[in-house]
Amino acid sequence: MRLAIDLGGTHLRLALGDGSGPWRHTHRSRRPDGMTPEAFVAAVGEVLAEWGVDRGDVEGIGVSVAAVVSAGGHIVRAENLRWWDAPLGRLLGEAFDRPVIVETDVYCGAHFEATRGHARTAGSALYVSIGTGVGHAFVLNGQVWRGAVGGANALGHMVLRPEGIPCYCGHRGCLCATASGLAQAVDQPPPGALADLAQAIAAALTLLEPEIVILTGGALSQPWFDLDRLSRLLPELTYPGIVQPALVISDVPDPNLRGAALLLKEIA
């Protein structure tokens, strides 16, 4: 059994299974504000104990995390978690003595879509996750593009208005300052979220011309999001010479979590 974990900006999700079928156990809780890497590792052990699962029965641990991740599961930066330079892979390996893989959440989700989901038969795909923040991954010929050092995941930090709303990344006017679950979960959310999302995705389409765009994330259930309207906006904002991609929502509610389990299969 593989233990899959999705550590997001707001919630902590754990599941036991292989990532392709039904989960044997699941857990979802709100991530405590200020949770440290050490506290996270302890929380994982507590969930296993609640399930009555012996650590020795776990084949390995796959972690999907909203962060830039380097070799060995090292967290370079995770603004939502307020973690920088955190050796998460090493901490989990020492605590559980199991194979561990830690990867950026959207790369996990894109891997699931490329191997089991909508991108399985596509030569290229853009995966966009809209939750607490906004992340993306590009898939080409079945492979997830991580960028030069693993940071090709931050569509949400595309600056749309340099004098706009301050963002937690340190810039102003980022996409996720308007079109994200965090930005919209307030009494008076900023206007223009869908138009901003369309502008950012359209820029990616003009640059890359993917065959399909796959959307996922909890913010898709918020009132501002409208798939039909988004599909009408994109052609107005992209280069007329590209072919407009299929625009779909992931078939599963947890592609990042499933992708973490599937990636673990490659090393376990």
Side-chain angles (χ1 to χ4, degrees):
M1 297 181 291
R2 300 173 211 147
L3 176 62
I5 305 171
D6 184 26
L7 178 58
T10 304
H11 291 98
L12 173 63
R13 299 174 177 86
L14 292 86
L16 202 64
D18 65 5
S20 59
W23 298 111
R24 293 188 59 177
H25 295 283
T26 59
H27 167 90
R28 183 177 187 271
S29 61
R30 193 167 185 87
R31 179 183 60 81
D33 191 38
M35 173 182 266
T36 64
E38 292 78 10
F40 163 72
V41 172
V44 172
E46 291 168 4
V47 171
L48 286 176
E50 290 172 8
W51 288 343
V53 173
D54 189 279
R55 297 184 180 197
D57 293 331
V58 175
E59 296 174 22
I61 302 172
V63 183
S64 154
V65 58
V68 175
V69 182
S70 65
H74 197 93
I75 304 298
V76 178
R77 59 185 298 139
E79 292 94 346
N80 277 332
L81 302 175
R82 301 186 185 92
W83 293 359
W84 285 266
D85 194 28
L88 187 59
R90 178 176 62 79
L91 291 174
L92 285 166
E94 291 175 352
F96 296 97
D97 194 27
R98 300 284 89 189
V100 173
I101 187 166
V102 179
E103 183 57 287
T104 302
D105 53 359
V106 286
Y107 299 158
C108 292
H111 178 73
F112 170 81
E113 294 294 343
T115 56
R116 300 290 194 280
H118 285 290
R120 189 173 64 256
T121 59
S124 58
L126 177 66
Y127 176 82
V128 181
S129 179
I130 311 168
T132 303
V134 184
H136 82 284
F138 181 59
V139 178
L140 181 63
N141 297 326
Q143 300 298 311
V144 177
W145 171 250
R146 301 182 76 257
V149 293
N153 67 313
L155 185 70
H157 296 292
M158 178 183 290
V159 175
L160 302 179
R161 300 180 187 85
E163 304 304 321
I165 300 170
C167 178
Y168 56 80
C169 76
H171 291 314
R172 301 179 72 94
C174 292
L175 171 64
C176 63
T178 56
S180 68
L182 183 65
Q184 291 292 316
V186 295
D187 292 337
Q188 294 183 314
L194 191 70
D196 285 354
L197 179 64
Q199 183 179 340
I201 292 178
L205 300 187
T206 297
L207 285 171
L208 302 170
E209 196 186 19
E211 296 170 34
I212 187 169
V213 175
I214 305 161
L215 304 173
T216 189
L220 300 188
S221 63
Q222 292 180 323
W224 66 272
F225 181 77
D226 185 326
L227 184 66
D228 291 336
R229 186 170 167 231
L230 178 62
S231 67
R232 293 194 299 270
L233 286 170
L234 290 177
E236 301 173 6
L237 300 169
T238 50
Y239 170 55
I242 72 165
V243 174
Q244 290 296 317
L247 184 65
V248 301
I249 293 176
S250 179
D251 286 337
V252 299
D254 52 2
N256 295 350
L257 191 65
R258 291 182 179 278
L262 292 172
L263 282 172
L264 180 63
K265 182 180 179 181
E266 299 182 3
I267 68 162

